[in-house]
Amino acid sequence: MNSAALRPEPRPGVLAVDTYVPGKSGKPGGGKVYKLSSNETPLGPSPAAVAALHEATGKLETYPDGRATALRTAIAKRFGLDPERIVCGAGSDELLSLLAYAYCGPGAEGIYSEHGFLVYRIAILASGGTPVVAPERDLTTDVDAILARVTERTRIVYVTNPNNPTGTYLPFDEIRRLHAALPPHVLLVIDGAYAEYVRANDYTAGLELALEAENVVMTRTFSKIYGLAAVRIGWMLAPAHVADAVNRIRGPFNVSGPAIAAGAAAIADEAHMAAAAAHNAEWLPKLIDGARALGLDVTPSVANFVLIHFPETPGRTAGDADTFLTERGLITRRVTAYGLPNALRVTVADAEANTAFLAALGEFVRGARG
Ligand SMILES: Cc1ncc(COP(=O)(O)O)c(C=O)c1O
């Protein structure tokens, strides 16, 4: 710390953070847009969640229950868990950060994979710790690459499963292999933001491991399949001692009253979630096959988005495609900040938007070729 500084200076690491840039939501000049940039559900939230949210707005002058008991109980009931092992947050982002603040910090290292979610890096740096990046193999988390980077300073490892923005996943055997080889003092955070979409038989979100191990946390979100991104709700299942640590440092009322009410209603509406998962299962292969039929390389995805790769040839690049699509109101996500400058990430949307996207992508590819 420089005591001669003429103004307050953030502590080391803070200014190394590149501000998170969310997906675009509009196009210059306005007009109809299809937002395919933030992996939101086209089905919206459960009507029961919306009703609960409206009802909760009648009590805005009172503080919420700081322990979010109704929400934790509803989650615990849905998954057969002990509510004491659940901590809720203002989005899973908050929990991912709190875990770094509690377990990383100056002198410590946090590992995440090459194309992993950017919030991990921000959280590790904000804690004062050092981010360590493990390369991926075939755009998939590589357990051996992570293990090769574990040192005596490693305190936290983040794995997104399935990964964003690639859409690839690790079979649960691989997660178990990673856990078995990690020293017991390293916290393994399994981020299952897209877990509900996965239909692979060898996948699980990590619940079993978080229940049985002393150093595993599973995080989940209400922002994706539950359609409550604006309300900001996430939760984690953690060993009791980790839940205790995070409860000590979180804001005392970090989840709002309307969020508690909406989340509890959303998780009980299993039919709505199943409908969203079924819609995705129908359209995900159509988007993958449709883009491949145009000669584009598409990373196999098990989530609610696809990563489409473009050539580097001028006029045919991801940047050119982005401009072309944006002009037509189709807003996709550039993923340069994730180390993927030649790809676009596209969210599975409703039938109209998916169809419009594939038609415009075809126009772009044919125009670029011609
Ligand atoms: C992998 C991953 N984890 C966590 C989140 C954060 O979700 P939340 O809205 O719960 O903060 C996202 C959102 O994009 C995500 O992609």
Side-chain angles (χ1 to χ4, degrees):
M1 179 73 65
N2 178 5
S3 57
L6 295 177
R7 58 179 195 178
E9 297 286 344
R11 61 196 183 88
V14 173
L15 297 184
V17 172
D18 292 321
T19 308
Y20 183 86
V21 182
K24 287 185 293 187
S25 49
K27 67 173 175 125
K32 182 168 171 65
V33 294
Y34 297 107
K35 188 173 177 227
L36 313 173
S37 56
S38 297
N39 300 342
E40 295 143 343
T41 172
L43 268 63
S46 149
V50 178
L53 190 79
H54 281 299
E55 199 186 322
T57 59
K59 310 190 245 324
L60 294 183
E61 69 284 5
T62 49
Y63 277 96
D65 167 17
R67 303 193 67 228
T69 310
L71 179 55
R72 287 187 303 112
T73 308
I75 296 168
K77 185 167 166 225
R78 165 74 180 77
F79 292 101
L81 303 170
D82 171 4
E84 291 306 311
R85 306 232 349 225
I86 295 172
V87 182
C88 296
S92 50
D93 280 352
E94 185 190 24
L95 298 168
L96 296 166
S97 295
L98 290 172
L99 288 164
Y101 305 158
Y103 292 96
C104 200
E109 294 172 355
I111 304 179
Y112 57 93
S113 74
E114 189 181 357
H115 304 297
F117 188 42
L118 287 174
V119 164
Y120 311 142
R121 177 182 171 80
I122 296 175
I124 295 164
L125 282 168
S127 79
T130 304
V132 175
V133 180
E136 296 186 4
R137 184 182 303 187
D138 297 332
L139 297 178
T140 307
T141 305
D142 180 347
V143 166
D144 296 307
I146 293 177
L147 290 173
R149 280 156 187 81
V150 173
T151 72
E152 60 191 22
R153 290 182 297 281
T154 308
R155 290 291 174 278
I156 193 163
V157 173
Y158 292 98
V159 173
T160 332
N161 204 26
N163 196 15
N164 169 26
T166 58
T168 55
Y169 77 103
L170 284 184
F172 200 61
D173 283 355
E174 279 291 278
I175 299 277
R176 279 206 182 274
R177 184 165 79 82
L178 169 63
H179 174 250
L182 281 178
H185 67 273
V186 174
L187 186 67
L188 173 61
V189 181
I190 307 170
D191 177 347
Y194 301 95
E196 296 83 357
Y197 291 108
V198 187
R199 299 216 157 178
N201 288 333
D202 54 357
Y203 172 85
T204 78
L207 197 131
E208 306 80 354
L209 203 54
L211 277 177
E212 71 194 35
E214 285 294 311
N215 63 336
V216 177
V217 171
M218 174 195 71
T219 61
R220 304 285 284 267
T221 182
F222 281 77
S223 302
K224 306 299 173 183
I225 206 159
Y226 292 102
L228 291 170
V231 187
R232 313 301 304 128
I233 318 167
W235 62 280
M236 67 179 201
L237 175 66
H241 65 101
V242 177
D244 175 54
V246 170
N247 274 325
R248 286 170 194 262
I249 63 167
R250 68 176 170 82
F253 305 102
N254 62 332
V255 184
S256 75
I260 292 170
I267 203 135
D269 189 349
E270 292 186 32
H272 186 77
M273 202 213 75
H279 173 86
N280 197 67
E282 181 193 340
W283 277 99
L284 181 68
K286 287 187 185 171
L287 279 183
I288 295 175
D289 295 347
R292 283 185 180 154
L294 295 169
L296 297 169
D297 183 19
V298 185
T299 303
S301 169
V302 294
N304 69 332
F305 52 86
V306 289
L307 190 68
I308 305 179
H309 302 269
F310 293 82
E312 289 185 64
T313 325
R316 302 176 60 182
T317 66
D320 297 321
D322 182 45
T323 307
F324 184 92
L325 294 164
T326 303
E327 279 164 5
R328 284 152 187 80
L330 292 150
I331 314 299
T332 67
R333 181 69 175 256
R334 291 218 61 185
V335 280
T336 307
Y338 285 91
L340 296 163
N342 301 321
L344 293 179
R345 192 194 67 193
V346 183
T347 304
V348 176
D350 63 17
E352 182 185 320
N354 296 334
T355 308
F357 169 74
L358 284 175
L361 189 66
E363 237 186 281
F364 170 75
V365 168
R366 285 186 290 271
R369 257 192 224 129

